[in-house]
Amino acid sequence: MGLRVDAYPNETVLDAAIRGGVGLRSECGGTQVCGKCRVQVRDQRGLTPATPNERKLLNEKIQAGYRLACATRVLPDADPIMVVVPPEGVIRKRQFVGIGSEQRVGLKPAVSKFRVEVMWPGISDRMSDAERLLTMIRRVRGDAQLELDFNAVARLPEALRRCKAVTVVIWDEKRVISVEAGDTCESLYGLAIDVGTSRITLSLLDLNSGVRLAHESVENPQISYGEDILTRVTYSQAGGDNGKHLQHTIVAGINELTEKVCAEANVSPLSVCEAVIVGNTVMHHLALGLDTKYLARSPFTPVIRESVSVRGAELGLSVNPDAIAHFLPIVDAFVGGDAVGDILSSGLHRRGAPTLLLDIGTNTEVFLRDREGLACCSCASGPAFEGVHIENGIKAVEGALASIKIGVGGFEVEYSVLGGVEPVGLCGSAIIDVVAELFKRGLIDGFGRFSSKAETPRLTKIDGVKRFVLVDAGESGTGRDIMVSERDINEVMLAKAAIYTGCSILMRRRRVARGELSRILIAGGFGKNLNRMNVRLIGLIPDVPSSKISFIGNAAHAGAEAALRSRKVMHLADRVAREAEYIELAACEEFSEEFTAALMLPHRKLELFETVNKLGDMRPKL
Amino acid sequence: MGLRVDAYPNETVLDAAIRGGVGLRSECGGTQVCGKCRVQVRDQRGLTPATPNERKLLNEKIQAGYRLACATRVLPDADPIMVVVPPEGVIRKRQFVGIGSEQRVGLKPAVSKFRVEVMWPGISDRMSDAERLLTMIRRVRGDAQLELDFNAVARLPEALRRCKAVTVVIWDEKRVISVEAGDTCESLYGLAIDVGTSRITLSLLDLNSGVRLAHESVENPQISYGEDILTRVTYSQAGGDNGKHLQHTIVAGINELTEKVCAEANVSPLSVCEAVIVGNTVMHHLALGLDTKYLARSPFTPVIRESVSVRGAELGLSVNPDAIAHFLPIVDAFVGGDAVGDILSSGLHRRGAPTLLLDIGTNTEVFLRDREGLACCSCASGPAFEGVHIENGIKAVEGALASIKIGVGGFEVEYSVLGGVEPVGLCGSAIIDVVAELFKRGLIDGFGRFSSKAETPRLTKIDGVKRFVLVDAGESGTGRDIMVSERDINEVMLAKAAIYTGCSILMRRRRVARGELSRILIAGGFGKNLNRMNVRLIGLIPDVPSSKISFIGNAAHAGAEAALRSRKVMHLADRVAREAEYIELAACEEFSEEFTAALMLPHRKLELFETVNKLGDMRPKL
């Protein structure tokens, strides 16, 4: 990669690489468990010897000089060491998933500006700057209750004397948060931010027109401390300042994006007076510097659920220091502000007919809207659909297989790749396709086991585990076969069973029959690459006609935008979060029965899946 | 003094001395004007040559090696230089003026604590930590409106899980500002702080009993940037960070005192949850980091007059970070929170009969309470009574002459000295005594001029200015005569005329006759050393019987304590400040006539001063 970095004595190669700006993958947070941070070092003088964990995880690769970057330390006074990072070990550029559908909301943001003329002080007028401003505001608007933030007070002496008019920045019709010299009403901008576990997306909106001027996204820089969220919670607890450090990491990511969008749209960051932030509960807590310890252990209690507003400067955002950063509320430890954003942008709370909404991720949030209101739950679906725990799984980045078809005859594999490059792994949509296609072709049975009767050279057995070769070494970007193993299929079945169980229990509790569902909305990263037939085929969601399934993309971000555009929507978020009934699946007695039934392809009760039933008759009997 | 300090190349001796911890006097802020920072350097190799200003201010002393520390720079690569600081050049230990009378106020501080038991979270109770706490608070106290500060929210996860009970810290019955594990109700302390231009006083109170546990005071560390307030305002405007720097200087002074009182009383600074701060308007603005520019130029407009509450951590106080620092309101640019404190502690606002209150300083605040309410003004009395602009004047520090009597026969001088050491100069009370005694003995006339007929060796003439020797070189701590010059007397007369004019105009405007005055309260540094007869003799205050004159000491600090003890008094301060009528003397047309008449001893209209009239007959006709 051509990068050089000075390592401290006894520093791990992983830490040195991260400092040096190498986006080395690590799912376990450097605890020698996941094996994803492997690197190749031909000349290992200057490094500590391989640990037992490395021997176990790397097997015969040890001979080829492979090491785990998290286990390998640089000896003091070592000569320069050449470390090769294999292609699959690098965090890659991710495909941007468009921001979900824009809901039409009346444009009336929580932050507003207005111009007022303030008299100059005179010797016989004994009013302070603050009193002169408030007197004029009252005269113009009649807001007797408007309070003056201390930070706005501090800006008065200069602002009131530079020109005759000042612009007052008001938050939520309640507080004067800033005062600017002259008439700056025409410059009023806001940020909508979705802090995802793996990705931060940010858009810049002109709050006078409601128009989105620019949007950008970036890998969540915390990813270097563990791809999954629990690893980061563990890290945040491990050392005194780790929590603060993770907070700064998020803020740095947001600031990087802010700089980009502002430059793109030619907007001064100082004109940005509001940021609406959504994120799952852990990201919400980490961003606010709240302790995440009790989110990760039963009974999984968040510190606060209500929306929180803090000053931009307090959070460290590089926007107007008086700006307000407003975090949308969360529903529970596993249903965060991002899920609330899904609801706001999809309009789920307004729908009359029963509707399901799923936001698929490591935890999949499921909402059911019926005539009475909203119920929701969180399914521990695991990160399989994000490519984690899948041997050749990767996120939806450049080089990821996005869709897969397996032919009827010789089981030839057709595929599409994100970014049009040579494939290096499978992302979520392809993982679903593979299982569905293998099942459709009779290559696996209802339990996800490879048929012993199937005869194709693509089926091999390595280390005692059966695998199906999707892409030959020659065609792949890694120089190795891209395969799916029985273990991978098992991961997918666990994931889809968890999600289906969530849907099923919500519908039972609220007495909504499958036939009554008017629509199933699927939010999240897969977006347009998802195959409507295959999601039902593997039994991920209830079997409804394809026409009733909608992919709504990054609906969480769209929800943040809606709350940014409209104060009413922002307040609605609090009501939605407060009123949504959260059902803790772990506390449901029917859970294990439902889950076990859902562990088959597509489900033990085939009568629930007519589509597949019909198809079943066409499956080749191998 | 035995101190060594490394000077930067071309650094002034003053700057190096301040860095080295030498409390070198400087009234002009290092602008080569006041001449107080003179030092003696025998071997001047390594220093820049004397400037024209030095030649002018030091005269023949130049020959003896005297230099102005602010004008003298250390040349690069100079050898060690021995600098002698003359005794009068050192900022000395100041006599502590007792905190004014304690008003009896009901003990109910704005900050309060109470204990509440909070259920532990359970899997089927889906409340956040914040909700569980607020639910219990409502159950116990019924405070539906109590808001939770974000900083308190951040403390919840740990506090709620350490023990079953938590202690909630409440501010002003409105906000939960902190939460502590266990029952800490017994530890609740507060600080009362008076940030004076020259001195910071601080006391520690047990808010459960109302008892003052300790008090300390320290020279305001800003004094190194100029003894008078305008020099500091100028300094704060001069460079980008100067304002911030002066703010930190105040806070550092407060923290030093806090550490002392807490150690003395064996109280953890973390148990200090409130600080009530008073100060004149400039100190108030500097402490809060507000721009002071417009306080110093007409029309002298403060940024804010209302009381301001900020978090202790925000201000940088080393107490509980969630503590509230509450600044009492100010009345106007020249009538600050200290004056409001005077009123609170003296009970002036409650008095039925007409009463005058004076707080004598560089600006003397005068309040007149009559049946209708409060009127006030500020008199530009100048710093003469603080020893500034008086040749041998010093503050009320160790070695200061405190009282003086001049005998009838040979004009022998009797005196008392603060700290019982050899005298080095005159402080305010002695300055008043000298003028009164010289007048009484016929040594000066009504215009403050030395009588040409007086024959005494104590009367000399140096550099064309007449002087009266109070203490011979042999008796003094400086080895030089301590004298009072005609110029000094003139300064005193300007000062007393300004103060009397303030009293007189307030009484005119409110139609209060001298005979109606039930009492004159004098607050400020002189305290008990002031001579009731002499204040009237020189015409500083209206001529009322001695029995009607009370010295109330540091009433401002006592007011801060009253507001600390009682939330009601704290809120009363806002009402008092808002309702007091401020009369701008500069805008009064009768000012110059009144002032001119008051420029005589005791006054041009002798009928206003019967006491002196009677005495006048006894004055020796020289």
Side-chain angles (χ1 to χ4, degrees):
Chain A
M1 304 179 79
L3 281 165
R4 279 154 193 276
V5 59
D6 284 325
Y8 299 116
N10 294 314
E11 190 177 28
T12 65
V13 172
L14 180 60
D15 286 344
I18 287 170
R19 276 198 303 108
V22 182
L24 207 55
R25 290 181 74 183
S26 163
E27 285 171 12
C28 65
T31 54
Q32 310 186 21
V33 171
C34 73
K36 296 258 163 146
C37 68
R38 60 181 167 218
V39 294
Q40 206 177 9
V41 187
R42 303 261 175 226
D43 180 354
Q44 301 206 356
R45 283 175 299 180
L47 294 180
T48 51
T51 65
N53 282 335
E54 288 184 86
R55 298 193 179 284
K56 206 179 91 194
L57 283 159
L58 294 166
N59 264 321
E60 74 285 358
K61 296 211 162 162
I62 288 271
Q63 267 68 52
Y66 276 87
R67 298 295 304 268
L68 295 185
C70 67
T72 309
R73 292 177 184 276
V74 180
L75 295 173
D77 303 316
D79 285 328
I81 299 163
M82 161 82 87
V83 177
V84 177
V85 182
E88 72 276 17
V90 188
I91 296 168
R92 282 162 169 260
K93 207 177 134 208
R94 191 178 254 256
Q95 299 296 108
F96 184 71
V97 177
I99 294 166
S101 55
E102 289 180 40
Q103 276 287 315
R104 279 175 203 285
V105 295
L107 185 68
K108 190 162 189 338
V111 72
S112 62
K113 280 185 171 182
F114 80 94
R115 175 188 182 280
V116 61
E117 283 195 12
V118 179
M119 302 156 299
W120 286 44
I123 190 77
S124 51
D125 139 38
R126 297 316 307 162
M127 283 197 277
S128 66
D129 288 348
E131 288 166 293
R132 273 181 303 124
L133 178 70
L134 283 175
T135 305
M136 288 313 293
I137 293 179
R138 271 180 216 127
R139 205 169 291 172
V140 176
R141 301 184 23 135
D143 282 339
Q145 295 308 314
L146 220 48
E147 269 177 38
L148 210 52
D149 274 14
F150 182 69
N151 297 291
V153 170
R155 302 202 188 284
L156 288 175
E158 277 315 298
L160 289 185
R161 285 166 186 84
R162 204 111 58 84
C163 4
K164 197 124 200 202
V166 295
T167 300
V168 171
V169 188
I170 291 184
W171 173 253
D172 202 17
E173 304 290 316
K174 286 190 197 108
R175 287 158 48 197
V176 174
I177 55 169
S178 197
V179 177
E180 297 172 347
D183 186 343
T184 66
C185 290
E186 284 196 3
S187 300
L188 182 62
Y189 302 90
L191 300 174
I193 307 171
D194 177 11
V195 182
T197 305
S198 52
R199 205 155 186 75
I200 302 178
T201 63
L202 179 148
S203 57
L204 173 71
L205 271 68
D206 181 336
L207 296 183
N208 281 315
S209 67
V211 170
R212 183 193 304 137
L213 302 176
H215 60 84
E216 285 286 346
S217 78
V218 71
E219 205 79 28
N220 186 333
Q222 292 185 333
I223 216 153
S224 304
Y225 301 94
E227 288 207 37
D228 75 291
I229 209 162
L230 280 183
T231 314
R232 289 184 224 168
V233 170
T234 309
Y235 171 80
S236 80
Q237 303 296 332
D241 276 345
N242 287 8
K244 273 254 155 305
H245 184 66
L246 285 182
Q247 183 183 26
H248 292 164
T249 307
I250 295 179
V251 171
I254 292 175
N255 286 343
E256 185 192 325
L257 293 175
T258 304
E259 202 182 306
K260 273 193 200 166
V261 291
C262 285
E264 234 173 275
N266 198 20
V267 161
S268 159
L270 288 179
S271 305
V272 174
C273 291
E274 181 180 358
V276 172
I277 304 173
V278 298
N280 61 52
T281 304
V282 172
M283 288 303 131
H284 167 275
H285 278 39
L286 285 177
L288 279 166
L290 294 174
D291 196 344
T292 52
K293 198 194 290 174
Y294 304 101
L295 287 178
R297 35 172 105 161
S298 183
F300 314 106
T301 311
V303 180
I304 187 168
R305 306 199 304 153
E306 289 75 17
S307 58
V308 172
S309 297
V310 293
R311 281 187 76 223
E314 230 173 301
L315 202 64
L317 296 187
S318 49
V319 295
N320 188 315
D322 294 335
I324 298 289
H326 182 83
F327 288 79
L328 287 192
I330 59 166
V331 178
D332 211 288
F334 297 107
V335 180
D338 46 356
V340 174
D342 289 338
I343 297 174
L344 297 181
S345 70
S346 65
L348 185 69
H349 57 288
R350 284 198 310 265
R351 291 185 72 92
T355 306
L356 272 179
L357 184 154
L358 293 81
D359 193 333
I360 299 176
T362 303
N363 281 291
T364 296
E365 297 91 1
V366 183
F367 282 88
L368 173 61
R369 160 80 199 183
D370 63 8
R371 273 157 208 96
E372 283 167 53
L374 282 167
C376 66
C377 66
S378 169
C379 318
S381 45
F385 296 132
E386 293 177 6
V388 181
H389 297 174
I390 301 294
E391 251 180 44
N392 292 144
I394 56 174
K395 295 195 177 163
V397 296
E398 203 179 81
L401 292 164
S403 67
I404 284 173
K405 272 195 181 142
I406 299 178
V408 184
F411 306 121
E412 68 287 4
V413 178
E414 259 180 64
Y415 57 80
S416 69
V417 184
L418 294 180
V421 297
E422 291 187 329
V424 293
L426 300 93
C427 74
S429 51
I431 290 167
I432 290 172
D433 281 355
V434 165
V435 176
E437 295 282 317
L438 289 173
F439 183 58
K440 215 154 66 178
R441 296 293 162 248
L443 288 165
I444 55 173
D445 63 15
F447 299 98
R449 290 171 308 206
F450 280 108
S451 160
S452 51
K453 292 171 205 145
E455 274 183 32
T456 159
R458 290 189 174 271
L459 217 50
T460 63
K461 200 170 187 174
I462 304 172
D463 296 336
V465 179
K466 286 188 185 162
R467 293 155 205 269
F468 184 84
V469 177
L470 293 164
V471 181
D472 288 331
E475 274 182 51
S476 87
T478 59
R480 288 191 295 279
D481 289 345
I482 300 176
M483 305 180 282
V484 63
S485 72
E486 230 173 58
R487 236 187 247 147
D488 294 340
I489 295 166
N490 194 43
E491 287 285 337
V492 173
M493 288 172 70
L494 285 168
K496 76 97 188 173
I499 295 173
Y500 184 82
T501 305
C503 300
S504 165
I505 288 183
L506 284 188
M507 288 164 69
R508 259 198 192 209
R509 291 284 173 114
R510 292 297 195 117
R511 294 173 205 282
V512 171
R514 179 165 55 114
E516 292 176 85
L517 287 176
S518 71
R519 188 154 291 279
I520 297 182
L521 306 169
I522 301 181
F526 323 94
K528 52 184 192 250
N529 295 310
L530 217 52
N531 182 308
R532 282 185 177 76
M533 174 61 85
N534 287 347
V535 249
R536 283 173 292 153
L537 252 172
I538 68 164
L540 179 75
I541 57 168
D543 191 9
V544 298
S546 283
S547 62
K548 289 191 174 178
I549 302 174
S550 302
F551 302 129
I552 58 173
N554 190 345
H557 190 125
E561 288 193 345
L564 180 59
R565 286 196 181 95
S566 159
R567 176 177 170 248
K568 234 158 104 181
V569 172
M570 186 184 93
H571 286 298
L572 174 72
D574 282 297
R575 222 193 60 210
V576 164
R578 201 170 47 237
E579 293 178 1
E581 183 196 4
Y582 175 78
I583 293 169
E584 173 56 53
L585 293 183
C588 292
E589 48 186 30
E590 68 267 42
F591 178 79
S592 68
E593 193 199 319
E594 285 276 349
F595 183 68
T596 318
L599 268 177
M600 281 193 68
L601 284 177
H603 196 276
R604 191 192 291 153
K605 299 182 189 155
L606 277 178
E607 65 274 20
L608 294 171
F609 287 83
E610 302 100 346
T611 315
V612 190
N613 256 345
K614 267 181 239 151
L615 214 131
D617 305 330
M618 308 180 328
R619 290 182 77 209
K621 305 288 177 240
L622 294 175
Chain B
M1 305 179 76
L3 282 163
R4 279 155 193 276
V5 58
D6 285 325
Y8 299 117
N10 294 314
E11 190 177 27
T12 65
V13 171
L14 180 61
D15 285 346
I18 288 170
R19 276 197 304 107
V22 182
L24 208 53
R25 290 182 74 184
S26 162
E27 285 173 12
C28 65
T31 55
Q32 309 185 21
V33 171
C34 73
K36 296 256 165 150
C37 68
R38 60 182 167 215
V39 293
Q40 207 177 9
V41 188
R42 304 261 176 224
D43 180 354
Q44 302 207 356
R45 281 176 300 181
L47 294 180
T48 51
T51 65
N53 282 334
E54 288 183 86
R55 297 193 181 281
K56 207 178 92 196
L57 283 160
L58 294 167
N59 264 320
E60 75 284 359
K61 296 212 160 159
I62 289 270
Q63 267 68 51
Y66 276 88
R67 299 293 306 267
L68 295 186
C70 67
T72 310
R73 292 175 184 277
V74 180
L75 296 172
D77 303 318
D79 284 328
I81 299 163
M82 160 83 87
V83 177
V84 178
V85 182
E88 71 275 16
V90 188
I91 295 169
R92 281 163 169 258
K93 208 178 133 208
R94 193 179 254 256
Q95 298 296 108
F96 184 72
V97 177
I99 294 165
S101 56
E102 288 181 39
Q103 275 288 313
R104 278 176 202 286
V105 296
L107 185 67
K108 191 162 189 337
V111 72
S112 62
K113 281 186 170 182
F114 80 95
R115 175 188 181 280
V116 61
E117 283 195 13
V118 179
M119 304 156 297
W120 286 43
I123 190 77
S124 51
D125 139 38
R126 297 318 306 163
M127 283 197 275
S128 66
D129 287 347
E131 287 166 293
R132 272 181 305 123
L133 178 69
L134 283 175
T135 305
M136 288 313 293
I137 292 180
R138 269 179 218 126
R139 205 169 292 172
V140 176
R141 302 185 21 135
D143 280 339
Q145 294 307 314
L146 221 48
E147 270 178 38
L148 211 49
D149 273 14
F150 182 68
N151 296 291
V153 169
R155 304 203 187 283
L156 288 175
E158 278 314 300
L160 289 185
R161 285 167 186 84
R162 203 111 59 82
C163 1
K164 198 124 201 201
V166 295
T167 300
V168 173
V169 189
I170 291 185
W171 173 252
D172 202 16
E173 304 289 316
K174 286 191 196 107
R175 289 156 49 198
V176 174
I177 56 169
S178 197
V179 177
E180 297 172 347
D183 186 343
T184 66
C185 290
E186 285 195 3
S187 301
L188 182 61
Y189 302 91
L191 299 174
I193 307 171
D194 176 12
V195 182
T197 304
S198 52
R199 205 153 187 76
I200 302 177
T201 63
L202 178 148
S203 58
L204 173 71
L205 271 67
D206 181 337
L207 296 183
N208 281 316
S209 67
V211 170
R212 182 196 303 139
L213 301 176
H215 60 84
E216 285 286 346
S217 80
V218 72
E219 205 78 30
N220 185 332
Q222 291 185 335
I223 215 153
S224 303
Y225 300 95
E227 288 206 37
D228 74 293
I229 209 162
L230 280 181
T231 314
R232 291 185 221 166
V233 170
T234 308
Y235 171 81
S236 80
Q237 303 295 331
D241 276 344
N242 287 9
K244 273 250 157 313
H245 184 65
L246 285 182
Q247 183 182 27
H248 292 164
T249 306
I250 295 179
V251 171
I254 293 175
N255 287 343
E256 185 192 325
L257 293 174
T258 305
E259 203 182 304
K260 274 194 201 167
V261 292
C262 284
E264 235 173 276
N266 199 19
V267 161
S268 159
L270 288 178
S271 305
V272 174
C273 291
E274 180 180 357
V276 172
I277 304 173
V278 298
N280 61 52
T281 304
V282 172
M283 289 303 131
H284 167 275
H285 277 41
L286 285 176
L288 280 166
L290 294 173
D291 197 343
T292 51
K293 198 194 291 174
Y294 303 102
L295 287 178
R297 36 172 104 161
S298 181
F300 313 107
T301 310
V303 179
I304 187 167
R305 306 199 305 153
E306 290 74 18
S307 58
V308 171
S309 297
V310 296
R311 281 185 78 223
E314 231 173 300
L315 201 63
L317 296 187
S318 50
V319 294
N320 188 314
D322 294 335
I324 298 290
H326 183 82
F327 288 78
L328 288 192
I330 60 166
V331 178
D332 210 287
F334 296 108
V335 180
D338 46 357
V340 173
D342 289 337
I343 296 173
L344 298 181
S345 70
S346 66
L348 185 69
H349 58 288
R350 283 197 312 263
R351 291 184 71 91
T355 307
L356 272 179
L357 185 153
L358 292 81
D359 194 334
I360 299 176
T362 302
N363 281 291
T364 296
E365 296 91 2
V366 182
F367 281 88
L368 174 61
R369 161 79 198 182
D370 64 8
R371 273 156 207 98
E372 282 166 55
L374 281 168
C376 66
C377 67
S378 168
C379 318
S381 45
F385 296 132
E386 293 177 8
V388 181
H389 296 173
I390 301 294
E391 252 181 42
N392 292 141
I394 56 175
K395 294 191 178 163
V397 297
E398 204 178 82
L401 292 164
S403 68
I404 283 174
K405 269 190 185 149
I406 298 179
V408 184
F411 306 122
E412 68 286 4
V413 177
E414 261 179 61
Y415 57 79
S416 69
V417 183
L418 295 180
V421 296
E422 292 188 328
V424 293
L426 300 95
C427 74
S429 51
I431 290 168
I432 290 172
D433 281 354
V434 165
V435 177
E437 295 282 316
L438 289 174
F439 184 57
K440 217 155 63 178
R441 297 291 163 246
L443 288 166
I444 54 172
D445 63 13
F447 298 100
R449 291 172 308 205
F450 279 109
S451 160
S452 51
K453 291 171 206 147
E455 274 183 32
T456 160
R458 289 189 176 271
L459 214 53
T460 62
K461 199 171 187 173
I462 303 171
D463 295 338
V465 179
K466 286 187 185 160
R467 291 155 207 269
F468 184 83
V469 177
L470 294 163
V471 181
D472 287 331
E475 275 182 49
S476 86
T478 60
R480 286 191 298 278
D481 288 345
I482 300 177
M483 303 179 283
V484 63
S485 70
E486 232 173 60
R487 236 187 248 148
D488 294 339
I489 296 167
N490 195 44
E491 289 284 337
V492 173
M493 288 173 71
L494 285 168
K496 75 98 189 175
I499 295 173
Y500 184 82
T501 305
C503 300
S504 164
I505 288 183
L506 285 188
M507 288 164 68
R508 258 197 194 212
R509 292 283 171 113
R510 292 299 194 115
R511 293 172 207 282
V512 170
R514 179 166 54 112
E516 289 176 86
L517 287 176
S518 70
R519 189 155 289 280
I520 297 182
L521 306 169
I522 301 182
F526 322 94
K528 52 183 191 245
N529 295 310
L530 219 52
N531 181 308
R532 283 185 174 78
M533 174 61 85
N534 287 347
V535 248
R536 281 174 293 151
L537 254 174
I538 68 163
L540 179 76
I541 57 169
D543 190 10
V544 298
S546 283
S547 61
K548 289 190 174 179
I549 302 174
S550 303
F551 302 129
I552 58 174
N554 191 344
H557 190 126
E561 289 194 344
L564 181 60
R565 286 196 180 95
S566 159
R567 176 178 172 249
K568 235 158 105 182
V569 172
M570 186 184 93
H571 286 299
L572 174 71
D574 283 297
R575 224 194 58 211
V576 164
R578 202 170 46 238
E579 294 179 359
E581 183 198 3
Y582 175 77
I583 293 169
E584 174 56 52
L585 294 183
C588 292
E589 47 185 31
E590 68 269 41
F591 178 79
S592 66
E593 193 199 320
E594 286 275 349
F595 183 68
T596 316
L599 267 178
M600 280 192 69
L601 284 180
H603 196 274
R604 192 192 290 153
K605 297 182 191 155
L606 278 179
E607 66 273 20
L608 294 172
F609 286 82
E610 301 101 346
T611 315
V612 189
N613 256 343
K614 266 180 241 157
L615 216 129
D617 305 328
M618 306 181 330
R619 289 182 76 206
K621 304 290 177 236
L622 293 175

